[in-house]
Amino acid sequence: MLTSIIGFIILILVIIAIWRSIRIIPQQRLAIVERLGKYHSTLQAGVNFVIPFIDRVVRVLDLRTQQVVVPPQMVITRDNVQISIDTVFFYTVVDAKRATYNIQDFVQGIQNVTAANIRQVVGHMELDETLAGRDKISIALRTALDEVTESWGVRIDRVEVVDIKPPREIQDAMEKQMKAEREKRANILQAEGERQAAILRAEGEKQSAILRAEGERESNIRRAEGVRQAEQLEADGRAQAIRLVAEAEKRRIEFLREAGLDNKVLTYQSFEALQGMAKGEATTLFIPNETVSVFSSLGALKGLFHSQDASENKPSL
């Protein structure tokens, strides 16, 4: 009976020893092992074996990027304005041994270093520069933290200024200033718009006047061209009519010539025409000198005709 109890106790101790000798470390984590109170090794992710009751896991560190919010810090700027700054930093453990043994609590240390450097950085800046210089503050804080945390086995990945809160009266003054600035910009934009509208309107009127003048000029040119073409056509028509009359007269003369009419017949016809003119109401006729010879020829022709008529009418013996 006693042997059974002792054997059962030994079995339980063996099971406990085996259980305590196995250490399962999750992914992206490390474990610090001390042997008899002194650093022995760092356990990686997966299944690890240690000596029970001799080796002890004193700390498990997460290798993922961690986020820590720094409590709001009251800071006085160079122009004596008290403001509240909220910051947050992101860090990653790169050396588990140094993060465990070089500092007791590196998160608390980073927060303290951040608070101290915020006062130093912002103390050299004015309020407007602080409100517009969040990137500058973040870079300065990260540089200061990198110098300290390197020996702690921690890497600062990023430092962000979440919020900057000036006093209420400063906020009211800033709101009034922004409102006045917005009204100023609105007035400037309105004036600029009116100026542009006036310029465009004047430009449109100028273009309209130019187009109107161009239209009138083109209309006058076309009208003058039409008149010129009409006169040219009219002149061409007259010239054509004169040519036709001349051609007709030329053909008439040729026809008369072909018909065998000599100058004596033409002179006689002219005499008959003069007789017709003499039968008019006028009592005076102005006859050119050249006509006298014509009349003499006509008298001779008339005597010739009368003598021929008398010889024809004389009775024969």
Side-chain angles (χ1 to χ4, degrees):
M1 182 69 180
L2 181 60
T3 304
S4 299
I5 294 174
I6 293 173
F8 180 73
I9 293 173
I10 293 173
L11 179 61
I12 292 176
L13 292 175
V14 171
I15 294 173
I16 292 174
I18 295 173
W19 175 261
R20 290 178 62 87
S21 65
I22 299 174
R23 289 291 184 269
I24 299 176
I25 306 302
Q27 183 68 31
Q28 288 295 322
R29 285 176 174 81
L30 295 177
I32 301 299
V33 177
E34 291 181 353
R35 178 170 290 177
L36 300 176
K38 184 180 180 180
Y39 171 78
H40 173 64
S41 64
T42 300
L43 302 182
Q44 302 295 327
V47 179
N48 298 271
F49 294 94
V50 297
I51 300 174
F53 308 107
I54 297 177
D55 294 339
R56 184 172 65 92
V57 176
V58 295
R59 191 172 188 180
V60 177
L61 296 173
D62 197 335
L63 299 181
R64 295 173 297 180
T65 300
Q66 304 295 315
Q67 173 183 339
V68 178
V69 177
V70 180
Q73 302 295 317
M74 300 302 297
V75 184
I76 298 177
T77 62
R78 189 172 64 180
D79 50 354
N80 297 323
V81 178
Q82 186 176 11
I83 59 177
S84 175
I85 299 181
D86 298 338
T87 56
V88 59
F89 64 88
F90 301 85
Y91 73 91
T92 302
V93 176
V94 295
D95 191 332
K97 182 180 178 181
R98 285 189 296 173
T100 303
Y101 296 103
N102 288 9
I103 186 172
Q104 181 180 3
D105 188 352
F106 60 82
V107 174
Q108 185 65 36
I110 294 174
Q111 289 179 341
N112 294 334
V113 173
T114 302
N117 281 275
I118 286 176
R119 292 184 176 89
Q120 182 180 359
V121 173
V122 177
H124 293 84
M125 302 171 64
E126 294 184 355
L127 177 61
D128 294 340
E129 186 180 1
T130 303
L131 296 175
R134 295 192 179 191
D135 292 339
K136 181 179 179 181
I137 298 173
S138 299
I139 294 173
L141 290 176
R142 182 176 178 181
T143 302
L145 289 172
D146 285 340
E147 296 176 357
V148 178
T149 58
E150 184 178 359
S151 62
W152 297 347
V154 178
R155 182 185 69 240
I156 301 299
D157 297 320
R158 192 175 184 87
V159 179
E160 292 290 343
V161 177
V162 179
D163 193 13
I164 299 177
K165 298 178 181 178
R168 185 61 192 175
E169 58 273 14
I170 299 297
Q171 294 183 15
D172 294 339
M174 291 173 61
E175 290 177 358
K176 292 180 181 179
Q177 182 180 0
M178 287 187 294
K179 182 178 179 181
E181 188 67 23
R182 285 194 296 269
E183 292 178 353
K184 176 183 175 182
R185 287 198 298 266
N187 293 331
I188 291 174
L189 291 175
Q190 183 178 0
E192 185 67 21
E194 293 177 354
R195 186 179 72 87
Q196 291 291 337
I199 292 174
L200 293 175
R201 189 161 45 249
E203 188 68 23
E205 293 176 356
K206 175 184 175 182
Q207 293 294 333
S208 177
I210 292 174
L211 292 176
R212 191 160 45 248
E214 288 289 337
E216 292 178 357
R217 175 174 172 273
E218 186 69 21
S219 177
N220 293 333
I221 292 173
R222 291 180 180 274
R223 190 180 301 111
E225 185 67 21
V227 172
R228 186 184 68 81
Q229 291 180 358
E231 292 178 351
Q232 183 176 358
L233 292 175
E234 184 178 358
D236 293 341
R238 292 178 180 177
Q240 185 68 20
I242 293 172
R243 283 196 297 270
L244 293 176
V245 172
E247 289 289 337
E249 185 65 20
K250 179 180 178 181
R251 291 177 182 176
R252 187 179 70 83
I253 294 173
E254 290 178 353
F255 290 157
L256 291 175
R257 188 175 297 165
E258 292 175 356
L261 297 178
D262 53 5
N263 293 331
K264 294 181 178 181
V265 175
L266 294 176
T267 302
Y268 182 74
Q269 290 180 352
S270 299
F271 177 73
E272 290 181 350
L274 289 174
Q275 286 182 347
M277 293 174 60
K279 291 180 180 180
E281 296 179 359
T283 58
T284 303
L285 289 176
F286 296 93
I287 300 174
N289 294 327
E290 292 79 0
T291 312
V292 175
S293 60
V294 176
F295 285 161
S296 61
S297 300
L298 291 176
L301 289 173
K302 187 174 180 182
L304 178 62
F305 289 152
H306 283 299
S307 61
Q308 287 180 357
D309 291 338
S311 61
E312 289 177 357
N313 294 324
K314 184 178 179 180
S316 61
L317 295 177

